[in-house]
């Protein structure tokens, strides 16, 4: 049996942006502008770090 969440729990990028904006007291446009400033590395280029060492 899969542990995937049901489709009803999946929200769109726009809905997530609106939720974040509301939680941070910002506008969705501000959230989008700030997100564009972040440098997000694709997972296949990410550095793996062992935190147990």
């Amino acid at each position: 049996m899969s542990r995937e969440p049901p489709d009803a729990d999946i929200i769109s990028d726009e809905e997530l942006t609106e939720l974040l904006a509301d939680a941070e007291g910002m506008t969705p446009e501000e959230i989008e502008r700030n997100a564009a400033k972040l440098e997000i590395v694709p997972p296949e280029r990410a550095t793996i770090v062992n935190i147990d060492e």
Side-chain angles (χ1 to χ4, degrees), residues 2-44:
S2 175
R3 291 190 175 257
E4 295 287 322
D7 289 340
D9 292 341
I10 297 174
I11 64 172
S12 69
D13 289 345
E14 292 80 17
E15 291 171 314
L16 177 59
T17 299
E18 290 175 10
L19 288 171
L20 288 170
D22 187 49
E24 293 296 322
M26 302 171 77
T27 66
E29 293 77 18
E30 289 173 309
I31 295 291
E32 290 290 332
R33 277 194 303 272
N34 289 334
K37 294 176 186 175
L38 295 176
E39 190 174 318
I40 301 172
V41 178
E44 61 272 5

